[in-house]
Amino acid sequence: MAYFFPKNAQRPFYRTLYDSLSAVERGMILREFIGVTYRRRFQFFKKYHFHHPHSAFKHNLQLAAKRQDKRFCISRRMWRKKQQLPTYLELIFRHYVLGFVVQRLRKRHGRELKPEPGCYPDGPLVLAALEWFAEHEAELSVLIGDEIDQVLAGGDRHLYLYCLRAFEITRQLYDEAQVQVAVLRSQSYSTGGQVPLGAELEFSNLGYRASFEHSFGHHAQDQPFCNFIYFHHFFLEDVTWRLGGYLDHHVRLRRYLPVPWIGGFFEYNLVRIDYPRRYSLPLTRDPGFLARYIQSVITFNHRVAPHSLHLNVECVARNELQPAQFSDYLCLLLLGGDLVADEDGVLREQRFFRNELIKMVQQRRHMSLFDHRRHQVSEFAFLRLVDQRHHDDWLSLIIALIGFNRVTDFERYCLEAQGELLHWAHHPQPLAADEIEAFVAKVERGIQADPSLDQTVVDCHLQRIRHWLQRQNARLR
């Protein structure tokens, strides 16, 4: 394995720290620093024409690291932003520490934390790492804060130095006995399941006002992040790659490309595999796993308010599909929308009321990295992401969407009654009891088609879905 120690790190503190590392630990730092480049190394080397006749692989890693070190240097202009700098640095340190925990878990617990067939290979590892992170949140906050103070005092602008310091934090806190507890806890949420699932989580302290049309010229209202207009200046897309991090600025013609000084939503795309977005993979087939994953990611990104959730449910082989009724869409909004009182004390469904939604459900075709086939997926795009929900709440919601998707024909009958939904969102009216029961019956019929799910769990959550709808409906009276 090739190693890398740049010239800007040739100082007593960093030299001593690096010399204390084993060969394996130096390899871990190299992999984490290169990040996506390491995972896509053969595509990357071909693109940049890296080649060495005698030891191509090792030599190319060195060249890639040199290129990344030169690129991953915070500009002097950014360094002068004293209010924003510590918070952005904290995001970098947290993601580097998370990555090192994932690497350690792979070495010691790779056999226990096996991926599901056709799903994101690192999913179980990342969830266990998130469990460990939550358990050590207080200690990590102190240690990361100390490291940031030293970085600011030393004027260290290179991300390689942050990566090195983050590894030392991980090395101090990592205890195998505590890690085993985190592994077992992450496995305890499994429920089984056959339907491939994915999720996209959007965060913003400005809420719906983070999008381009609302935020332009008003970034200072979100301090210290400034609506993430500095997202790319701190290279967060490269640092947050394990969770599929990117900036969703809602500038459609440049959807996946940086737009300088335009902010937006800090998004974790948990189905994303490559940065050009040619391929994707489901995160899991297990609704219990996904429910815990969503909850853990919200906890991890605790400095930024959760905003919205897109849940992806693959359309597996189905029979006797029926078009969705208007009352079905209203039940979905009662379960996963944002029914809250506005400034006048009037209940409204805020996602439609604030014109956040174009469609509630969209049909997409995702190209799998493994089989290179396009898989039909229903993307439920209307869900509000909130930190008050517990694991069972997310699990009930996911089960409802899996069941409903399995019996509903969104492909041929995908035209939603947008006008009626918008009118209802402004003046929500209660549903009839038989409309709620009809929706629950559809969910039950769809979820019963998955025999791998424990029947006791299914019955429990069907009852929770019914009570949830009845409680929300009662608020409208």
Side-chain angles (χ1 to χ4, degrees):
M1 171 64 71
Y3 305 115
F4 176 72
F5 193 71
K7 292 182 179 179
N8 59 71
Q10 300 290 342
R11 281 174 274 168
F13 172 80
Y14 292 112
R15 185 78 256 180
T16 302
L17 176 56
Y18 192 76
D19 288 344
S20 71
L21 303 175
S22 68
V24 172
E25 291 172 331
R26 293 178 185 182
M28 292 172 66
I29 289 172
L30 177 63
R31 286 193 294 271
E32 197 62 36
F33 175 63
I34 295 179
V36 173
T37 299
Y38 184 81
R39 293 292 297 271
R40 312 283 172 262
R41 52 190 177 273
F42 299 110
Q43 298 174 18
F44 176 84
F45 298 149
K46 182 178 179 181
K47 175 181 177 182
Y48 290 97
H49 307 291
F50 287 171
H51 179 67
H52 190 273
H54 302 297
S55 182
F57 181 71
K58 293 181 180 180
H59 187 72
N60 285 339
L61 284 178
Q62 287 275 9
L63 290 171
K66 288 179 181 178
R67 176 189 175 274
Q68 296 295 72
D69 184 58
K70 182 179 179 181
R71 176 180 169 228
F72 288 175
C73 178
I74 298 170
S75 70
R76 297 187 186 279
R77 181 180 183 183
M78 289 294 103
W79 199 254
R80 290 194 290 267
K81 298 192 178 294
K82 301 303 181 183
Q83 186 175 359
Q84 291 79 31
L85 191 56
T87 315
Y88 275 92
L89 291 180
E90 184 188 21
L91 281 175
I92 294 172
F93 271 89
R94 288 173 70 86
H95 285 85
Y96 274 152
V97 171
L98 181 71
F100 285 127
V101 177
V102 170
Q103 287 200 53
R104 285 185 174 271
L105 283 166
R106 181 181 289 109
K107 289 180 179 296
R108 297 296 299 272
H109 301 277
R111 293 184 179 181
E112 302 167 60
L113 299 170
K114 292 182 179 179
E116 300 165 72
C119 296
Y120 178 51
D122 286 352
L125 296 168
V126 174
L127 180 57
L130 289 169
E131 296 283 356
W132 178 91
F133 210 104
E135 189 67 29
H136 293 80
E137 182 63 57
E139 302 156 279
L140 283 164
S141 295
V142 173
L143 290 173
I144 290 174
D146 290 343
E147 295 293 341
I148 290 174
D149 289 342
Q150 294 178 47
V151 162
L152 294 175
D156 297 330
R157 296 184 292 118
H158 287 263
L159 264 64
Y160 180 88
L161 304 181
Y162 309 157
C163 191
L164 193 58
R165 287 177 175 270
F167 183 83
E168 180 60 19
I169 293 174
T170 311
R171 190 163 63 164
Q172 289 182 45
L173 289 182
Y174 193 91
D175 177 79
E176 188 56 41
Q178 294 175 338
V179 166
Q180 184 63 47
V181 173
V183 169
L184 294 174
R185 188 185 304 121
S186 70
Q187 293 173 321
S188 68
Y189 293 97
S190 178
T191 57
Q194 295 178 338
V195 179
L197 304 166
E200 303 164 39
L201 289 71
E202 285 187 348
F203 295 81
S204 172
N205 291 332
L206 286 180
Y208 76 97
R209 293 178 293 123
S211 59
F212 172 73
E213 61 270 22
H214 296 294
S215 67
F216 191 73
H218 301 285
H219 302 308
Q221 296 175 10
D222 171 28
Q223 291 296 344
F225 291 108
C226 290
N227 198 33
F228 286 98
I229 59 174
Y230 308 127
F231 187 89
H232 297 289
H233 298 274
F234 286 92
F235 315 103
L236 289 181
E237 187 165 68
D238 297 85
V239 174
T240 64
W241 63 275
R242 288 188 187 276
L243 294 171
Y246 79 103
L247 182 71
D248 190 353
H249 44 54
H250 287 196
V251 179
R252 297 300 175 187
L253 294 179
R254 293 176 62 87
R255 184 176 180 187
Y256 300 129
L257 299 173
V259 181
W261 309 108
I262 291 180
F265 298 97
F266 182 7
E267 179 165 330
Y268 289 128
N269 189 332
L270 304 181
V271 299
R272 171 183 181 174
I273 286 298
D274 66 331
Y275 272 56
R277 286 172 173 76
R278 298 186 186 92
Y279 301 103
S280 66
L281 284 176
L283 178 68
T284 181
R285 299 170 185 268
D286 189 319
F289 177 95
L290 179 57
R292 183 61 178 179
Y293 210 104
I294 292 170
Q295 186 183 22
S296 298
V297 169
I298 293 173
T299 302
F300 175 76
N301 197 16
H302 67 293
R303 299 284 189 200
V304 193
H307 175 66
S308 64
L309 169 68
H310 291 198
L311 201 68
N312 301 292
V313 183
E314 187 167 321
C315 302
V316 297
R318 304 167 298 170
N319 296 315
E320 300 180 6
L321 300 182
Q322 299 176 351
Q325 303 299 310
F326 181 68
S327 59
D328 295 330
Y329 287 112
L330 298 185
C331 285
L332 291 174
L333 287 175
L334 291 181
L335 286 174
D338 191 15
L339 191 67
V340 296
D342 61 11
E343 296 82 358
D344 302 322
V346 179
L347 274 177
R348 305 190 194 280
E349 202 293 309
Q350 297 293 332
R351 299 222 62 191
F352 269 111
F353 180 70
R354 292 170 174 164
N355 296 313
E356 294 181 42
L357 294 176
I358 300 174
K359 261 178 94 68
M360 284 181 62
V361 187
Q362 302 186 57
Q363 289 278 292
R364 300 191 182 278
R365 291 190 175 275
H366 289 187
M367 176 71 79
S368 170
L369 180 68
F370 289 156
D371 61 19
H372 289 261
R373 292 194 300 109
R374 294 193 178 276
H375 295 249
Q376 187 172 340
V377 173
S378 295
E379 182 180 304
F380 293 89
F382 66 93
L383 304 167
R384 180 65 82 206
L385 190 66
V386 291
D387 52 10
Q388 292 88 359
R389 285 182 179 157
H390 301 293
H391 174 264
D392 282 344
D393 299 326
W394 291 117
L395 180 52
S396 294
L397 177 60
I398 294 167
I399 284 176
L401 298 183
I402 292 173
F404 185 64
N405 185 64
R406 196 149 191 167
V407 298
T408 305
D409 192 344
F410 287 117
E411 186 174 20
R412 290 186 301 169
Y413 302 99
C414 59
L415 295 177
E416 301 165 5
Q418 293 289 318
E420 289 85 344
L421 287 169
L422 186 62
H423 182 268
W424 184 89
H426 280 72
H427 306 284
Q429 300 299 313
L431 282 72
D434 60 338
E435 291 176 321
I436 291 177
E437 288 302 319
F439 175 82
V440 175
K442 291 179 180 179
V443 172
E444 182 174 10
R445 190 167 70 252
I447 208 69
Q448 294 287 2
D450 188 345
S452 67
L453 288 169
D454 183 86
Q455 189 59 46
T456 304
V457 173
V458 169
D459 291 342
C460 172
H461 284 277
L462 285 172
Q463 195 64 19
R464 290 186 89 256
I465 292 166
R466 179 180 284 106
H467 290 163
W468 190 344
L469 288 168
Q470 291 170 348
R471 285 197 309 273
Q472 289 284 72
N473 203 43
R475 294 175 63 200
L476 302 179
R477 296 196 178 96

